[in-house]
Amino acid sequence: MARQKILILDFGSQYTQLIARRIREAHVYCEIRPYTQPPRADEHHEIAGLVLSGGPSSVYADGAPHLTREQIDFGVPVLGICYGMQLLTWLFGGAVEPASHREFGFAELEVLGNSRLFDGFEAGEMTAVWMSHGDRVLRLPPGFRVAAKSKNSPCAAMVSADDRFIGVQFHPEVVHTARGRELVENFVLRLCGCEPDWTMGNFIEQEVARIRAEVGEDNVILGLSGGVDSTVVAALLARAIGTRCTCIFVDNGLLRWREAEEVCAQFSDFEGVNFVHVDASERFLSALAGIEEPEAKRKAIGRVFVEVFEDAAKTVEGARWLAQGTLYPDVIESVSPHGGPSATIKSHHNVGGLPDRMSLKLLEPLRELFKDEVRVLGEALGLSHERVWRHPFPGPGLGIRVLGEVTKERCDVLRKADHIFISELRETGLYEAIWQAFAVLLPVKAVGVMGDVRTYENVCALRAVTSTDGMTADWFDMPREVLARLSTRIINEVPGINRVVYDISSKPPGTIEWE
């Protein structure tokens, strides 16, 4: 029997990834796809329901993203959120107009109690929701009824006569909507009839079988960094194919404080797979010489990464596959939104396939997962808490945290500052309250005074954020006494740094990494 899934069609909402997270939290599998790729007829049997995301456009504007009714009407429930609701209104013969009062932020929603979307709510109940819209439904499509309203939205939710087409003007996927999780669960479990079987236990069983079938008797090379993602891939491959997996750990000269020694110690006795250590630090640093532009640095690192594995593949008999820890957010961020001309935010070194000249095929067993799901998977595979809950570390490593030209000397300076930062977070018990923390070496110098002597040295920025999956993030409100201690230690203990600043940017509008 084909796996049932929810398909999310993305119209450009900043919250689209949150819709996917809420559905996955209901233990139902879902995928995000640009609206330009509606479901094909031959995949209708795989899809249990559709979600049409929000977006910045007005449905009546020239060039607004549209679909046809036939593309979404194939017998499954459809939930339109914000722009998605307006599109449903348009497709089914209703009318949309600019709202006289735009709604951005909290609103009180009155539930009318006439739709299964609101199962568990009382008729007339008031609940807090998050609005973000400038248009509203002027006239309902024939056969639709109002299911909820707010002060400024007489139709804040609408449903078709058979409860199969549903539109909501608010955003149930954001945490600000008080009972949004229940609404998402009502849609995927009650209306779409999905079984809550998207668990990491089931994922292990299915993925092990898939890997065995796909790989056959071939050998696999895994690019091992020692971080959470590649470690979980190693554990999964150990279960699926055992010693036919060779983990190759590449020291690219861009690792954190004493990380190469730690990874070698951890994996030299890792059960079930082979382990090889390759010191290619000089090769990577030479390739980065003179390069300052962030995207050029990423591409140089990615190129050398592939070259190293081309060489390594020759030493592993029967190697036909290269395994990588690509995650779903990597895939989402590395493609142009909506399949159109929008700019890519940044490229990921392990997304987008391999050069034609490379003989290895690509194996990405985590490609469907968000970061928090990978952590749960790691625990289900028996990995230690310390390994599973380590902060994320980017594939390009310090190459994108040393801003400007990357040299061994600048990496060494940053390594020491970063080590002090992480050590203090562990000692104060803050490490696990933070999604990701790291130091950045800026390409600017500042004047200072140390021991009555004028200095002109580097500026170090500290970054710490809270997040669930890395798609959105808030800066961590670091205690003042911790910041003071960090600044004192870094300036006193790290030659080459005389000023420390703290980054208070959220994502969006910023990204977690500086490059």
Side-chain angles (χ1 to χ4, degrees):
M1 180 177 178
R3 178 173 60 184
Q4 292 291 291
K5 68 182 177 186
I6 303 296
L7 181 61
I8 303 165
L9 295 180
D10 180 19
F11 288 86
S13 171
Q14 61 179 317
Y15 302 132
T16 300
Q17 291 80 23
L18 294 180
I19 301 172
R21 289 300 309 120
R22 296 295 170 261
I23 295 174
R24 298 275 185 96
E25 287 167 2
H27 301 296
V28 173
Y29 179 72
C30 66
E31 294 177 0
I32 298 172
R33 192 183 294 177
Y35 79 92
T36 53
Q37 299 175 22
R40 306 181 307 274
D42 63 352
E43 62 180 340
H44 285 175
H45 68 284
E46 301 175 359
I47 299 170
L50 280 177
V51 177
L52 311 179
S53 85
S57 302
S58 293
V59 72
Y60 49 77
D62 291 340
H66 276 202
L67 293 171
T68 66
R69 182 166 168 174
E70 291 73 20
Q71 288 174 315
I72 65 169
D73 189 358
F74 53 93
V76 301
V78 179
L79 172 63
I81 298 174
C82 200
Y83 181 85
M85 174 182 181
Q86 295 155 21
L87 181 59
L88 287 177
T89 302
W90 182 276
L91 291 176
F92 283 81
V96 177
E97 67 170 357
S100 56
H101 295 88
R102 296 186 175 190
E103 285 187 290
F104 296 98
F106 283 107
E108 284 292 313
L109 187 79
E110 181 182 351
V111 177
L112 302 185
N114 59 0
S115 170
R116 283 185 294 160
L117 181 72
F118 293 98
D119 278 357
F121 293 72
E122 297 292 334
E125 179 177 341
M126 304 297 292
T127 184
V129 298
W130 185 260
M131 294 281 194
S132 179
H133 68 96
D135 296 332
R136 68 175 185 175
V137 174
L138 171 66
R139 185 181 69 253
L140 285 172
F144 280 69
R145 62 184 182 275
V146 176
K149 60 184 180 179
S150 71
K151 181 179 179 180
N152 291 321
S153 294
C155 179
M158 67 178 193
V159 295
S160 62
D162 59 0
D163 228 17
R164 190 161 64 85
F165 293 93
I166 302 170
V168 294
Q169 190 63 75
F170 57 92
H171 289 272
E173 68 272 25
V174 302
V175 296
H176 308 80
T177 295
R179 299 178 66 180
R181 187 185 300 260
E182 292 176 60
L183 295 173
V184 172
E185 289 179 353
N186 281 343
F187 177 71
V188 299
L189 300 179
R190 296 175 183 270
L191 288 164
C192 297
C194 294
E195 291 294 328
D197 59 2
W198 175 251
T199 65
M200 289 304 100
N202 286 342
F203 178 85
I204 292 172
E205 181 180 337
Q206 294 169 4
E207 194 62 20
V208 165
R210 188 191 69 81
I211 291 170
R212 288 172 177 169
E214 189 168 4
V215 171
E217 297 301 315
D218 294 340
N219 287 334
V220 176
I221 294 174
L222 167 63
L224 185 69
S225 70
V228 176
D229 305 334
S230 62
T231 300
V232 171
V233 173
L236 188 60
L237 291 175
R239 183 169 297 194
I241 60 175
T243 54
R244 285 191 288 115
C245 172
T246 297
C247 296
I248 299 179
F249 168 59
V250 176
D251 181 356
N252 57 11
L254 307 171
L255 303 176
R256 290 167 288 194
W257 180 264
R258 294 180 178 171
E259 189 161 23
E261 295 94 322
E262 291 177 3
V263 172
C264 289
Q266 289 174 356
F267 285 92
S268 59
D269 59 350
F270 194 84
E271 295 182 4
V273 297
N274 301 314
F275 176 77
V276 175
H277 175 212
V278 178
D279 184 354
S281 54
E282 291 187 8
R283 192 166 173 179
F284 278 88
L285 290 169
S286 295
L288 288 168
I291 299 176
E292 297 186 5
E293 200 276 323
E295 196 68 6
K297 288 197 288 186
R298 284 179 175 270
K299 290 182 176 178
I301 293 167
R303 184 188 70 251
V304 177
F305 173 83
V306 171
E307 292 171 353
V308 169
F309 273 85
E310 284 182 318
D311 294 341
K314 299 172 185 176
T315 68
V316 180
E317 186 177 353
R320 299 289 182 271
W321 298 84
L322 173 61
Q324 295 184 156
T326 307
L327 304 188
Y328 203 26
D330 298 338
V331 176
I332 294 169
E333 285 194 343
S334 293
V335 298
S336 294
H338 331 312
S342 302
T344 297
I345 297 171
K346 59 187 177 182
S347 66
H348 287 262
H349 77 290
N350 56 349
V351 176
L354 301 173
D356 292 338
R357 72 176 189 276
M358 194 167 183
S359 59
L360 298 178
K361 293 176 283 188
L362 198 56
L363 186 65
E364 297 174 311
L366 308 183
R367 190 179 177 91
E368 297 176 339
L369 304 185
F370 288 93
K371 189 75 175 191
D372 56 323
E373 293 174 317
V374 174
R375 297 191 194 279
V376 175
L377 174 61
E379 291 182 326
L381 288 165
L383 295 175
S384 69
H385 181 83
E386 182 180 357
R387 283 185 180 179
V388 168
W389 290 98
R390 192 179 188 193
H391 287 183
F393 187 61
L398 301 186
I400 57 171
R401 293 181 179 175
V402 172
L403 275 58
E405 185 177 8
V406 180
T407 65
K408 182 182 184 303
E409 292 72 27
R410 299 191 75 208
C411 286
D412 287 341
V413 170
L414 181 57
R415 263 187 276 270
K416 294 174 184 176
D418 187 78
H419 176 62
I420 291 172
F421 188 17
I422 299 304
S423 298
E424 284 288 338
L425 293 180
R426 290 190 184 279
E427 289 177 14
T428 55
L430 294 174
Y431 184 81
E432 290 198 9
I434 295 170
W435 163 266
Q436 191 170 4
F438 54 91
V440 179
L441 192 65
L442 304 188
V444 294
K445 290 188 175 183
V447 173
V449 177
M450 300 179 73
D452 296 327
V453 177
R454 177 186 183 276
T455 63
Y456 188 57
E457 294 180 338
N458 296 286
V459 179
C460 174
L462 303 181
R463 175 80 156 141
V465 299
T466 58
S467 182
T468 300
D469 50 38
M471 299 305 301
T472 60
D474 292 321
W475 60 276
F476 181 73
D477 191 4
M478 192 75 67
R480 186 183 186 281
E481 61 273 16
V482 177
L483 286 174
R485 191 162 57 249
L486 283 166
S487 177
T488 299
R489 284 197 61 191
I490 290 172
I491 291 172
N492 287 339
E493 298 177 30
V494 184
I497 293 176
N498 69 353
R499 194 176 296 263
V500 175
V501 298
Y502 189 60
D503 183 350
I504 57 170
S505 307
S506 295
K507 176 186 179 180
T511 56
I512 294 178
E513 297 288 346
W514 279 47
E515 290 189 345

